[in-house]
């Protein structure tokens, strides 16, 4: 209920003498407007991406207004979960009270004999409704859980909105993410429009971010990664986010690549470049100890390949494709997994407002998905590090891709021209428009729109290169997309 917009501020100009010469009132003496969310318009409903037959799973619910803010006032009263096939037969109940702030968790039993299931949640008046994504029912050995998170977000400590604690609370309690991170700028853009202006983040500000991350890190419920956005590396134009498996050792203050590697030495860390296809970006990728993942998509654009539909360079000249695409990186021999993030500056990670308050952020925010055995900081980081991860444009699309029996992100060896089996499982949040295989040789559609939102596909592929790669791209009829991390094949 308060306004903390430091970059697109409301200013007051006064002509005190009547001669047409205006002066701005100092920021500290300018009243800020109070902006409130609207009443509830729908429920955000989330269930686990994977469940075992017959187990009981949590159904998380958050009341949102028509712009995906937490509703104000928060609704109260009874809510019900039901199977969409029998929407008037409750399978679970809860009561929203005033101090619940519109959030609740219900417990629902997974069907014994279904491949997937979803639930619909409504209130007693039936004017608030929400439907969960598909949950895949799978008890095969080795099946990993899938967790969704937004690890690219900014707060009022650099050029975003809200405090670090408020941003992480939004990710957990409103967007219903599984994990999150704050990546405020540590160099340029570590400033406020109204001042005090600064060219680098203070130690005090970063300490506040770290404290919020630690306070919100709760294994099994919502976990956080510590990190920051590094704006400047001499000779390597472009930005990258730096993340740690444990506690960040303090902000990096250097400017060169050697200084960055010295800073990271002794730590399990990742340096992940983002929006690489624009702004003449030249990411540093030659150290696989830290450079193992690239951000495929954000509110800026998709960096998958040149000339795709998800880039506004034709209307925004500053976003000409002067950088390097993800496919160009793969073709150059780099073995990089894929994630997405929001690059959210609205104080709303994981459920990004459209349109953004920044006119150059025209797309919905993306999220990262990881395949991990449990929801802990360490397990999430390890999944990113091992490239057991994938990117989506924001929807919680379930995607499991295996080649030669190995999960996405793997490196395998095979006899030249030998047939390798692949398996692809997709559970969409809407009907699937296409499922495509992408390799150096091009794109091949293996599934076209047939009204289904769940498919299991299999087949075989042959490889005759020493550094071959293959990944899966999913497109839904509502334009939401997902990209798996590749599997690399060394054909001998």
């Amino acid at each position: 209920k308060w306004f903390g917009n430091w970059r697109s501020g409301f200013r007051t100009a006064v002509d005190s003498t009547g001669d047409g010469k205006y002066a701005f009132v100092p920021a500290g003496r300018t009243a800020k407007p109070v902006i409130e969310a609207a009443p509830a318009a729908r429920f955000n409903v989330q269930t686990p991406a994977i469940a075992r037959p017959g187990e009981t799973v949590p159904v998380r619910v958050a009341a949102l207004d028509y712009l995906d803010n937490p509703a104000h006032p928060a609704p109260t009263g009874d809510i019900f979960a039901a199977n969409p096939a029998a929407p008037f037969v409750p399978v679970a109940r809860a009561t929203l009270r005033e101090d619940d702030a519109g959030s609740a968790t219900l417990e629902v039993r997974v069907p014994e004999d279904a491949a997937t299931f979803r639930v619909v949640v409504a209130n007693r008046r039936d004017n608030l409704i929400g439907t969960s994504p598909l949950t895949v029912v799978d008890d095969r050995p080795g099946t990993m859980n899938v967790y969704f998170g937004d690890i690219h977000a900014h707060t009022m400590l650099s050029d975003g909105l809200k405090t670090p604690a408020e941003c992480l609370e939004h990710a957990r309690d409103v967007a219903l993410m599984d994990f999150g991170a704050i990546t405020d700028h540590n160099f340029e853009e570590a400033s406020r429009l109204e001042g005090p202006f600064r060219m680098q983040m203070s130690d005090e500000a970063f300490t506040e971010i770290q404290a919020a991350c630690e306070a919100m890190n709760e294994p099994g419920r919502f976990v956080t990664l510590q990190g920051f956005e590094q704006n400047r590396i001499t000779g390597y134009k472009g930005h990258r986010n730096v993340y740690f498996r444990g506690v960040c050792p303090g902000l990096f203050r250097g400017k060169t690549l050697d200084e960055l590697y010295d800073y990271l030495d002794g730590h399990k860390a990742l340096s992940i470049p983002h929006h690489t296809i624009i702004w003449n970006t030249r990411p540093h990728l030659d150290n696989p100890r830290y450079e193992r993942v690239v951000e495929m998509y954000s509110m800026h654009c998709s960096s998958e390949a040149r000339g795709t539909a998800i880039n506004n360079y034709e209307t925004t000249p500053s976003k000409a494709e002067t950088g390097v695409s993800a496919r160009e990186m793969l073709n150059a021999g780099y073995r990089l997994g894929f994630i997405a993030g929001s690059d959210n500056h609205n104080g709303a990670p994981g459920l990004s407002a459209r349109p953004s308050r920044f006119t150059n952020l025209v797309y919905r925010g993306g999220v990262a998905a990881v395949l991990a055995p449990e929801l802990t900081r360490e397990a999430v980081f390890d999944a990113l590090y091992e490239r057991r991860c994938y990117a989506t444009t924001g929807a919680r699309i379930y995607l499991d891709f295996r080649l030669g029996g190995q999960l996405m992100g793997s490196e395998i060896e095979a006899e030249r021209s030998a047939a390798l089996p692949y398996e692809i499982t997709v559970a969409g949040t809407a009907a699937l428009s296409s499922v495509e295989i992408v390799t150096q040789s091009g794109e091949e559609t293996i599934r076209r729109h047939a009204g289904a939102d769940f498919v299991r596909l299999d087949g075989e592929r042959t490889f005759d290169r020493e550094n071959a790669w293959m990944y899966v791209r999913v497109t839904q009829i509502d334009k939401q997309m997902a990209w798996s991390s590749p599997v690399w094949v060394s054909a001998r």
Side-chain angles (χ1 to χ4, degrees), residues 20 28 40 55-57 100 103 114 136 145 149 180 192 233 243 248 288 294 344 366 369 381 405 417 447:
E55 74 173 329
T56 298
V57 297
D100 292 328
S103 296
V136 176
N145 298 319
R192 298 173 176 173
I233 291 292
Y243 305 97
C248 175
V294 64
N344 185 285
F381 181 93
S417 299
R447 171 79 180 198

Side-chain angles (χ1 to χ4, degrees), residues 14 25 47 93 103 157 181 239 245 273 276 322 368 382 447:
V14 177
V25 175
T47 51
R93 295 175 170 83
S103 296
L157 295 182
H239 295 187
R245 191 176 191 267
T276 59
T322 55
D382 291 346
R447 171 79 180 198

Side-chain angles (χ1 to χ4, degrees), residues 18 21 83 88 153 190 194 238 269 379 413 416 480:
K21 296 180 179 179
N83 185 321
F88 297 102
E194 298 172 342
E413 294 186 355
R416 189 175 298 272
Q480 294 274 14

Side-chain angles (χ1 to χ4, degrees), residues 99 113 121 163 242 297:
D99 58 359
D113 56 355
V121 174
T163 67
V242 179
Y297 171 87

Side-chain angles (χ1 to χ4, degrees), residues 206 210 226 244 247-251 263 267:
F206 191 62
Q210 288 183 296
Q226 288 198 16
F244 292 83
V247 174
C248 175
L251 276 178
Y263 162 81
H267 298 279

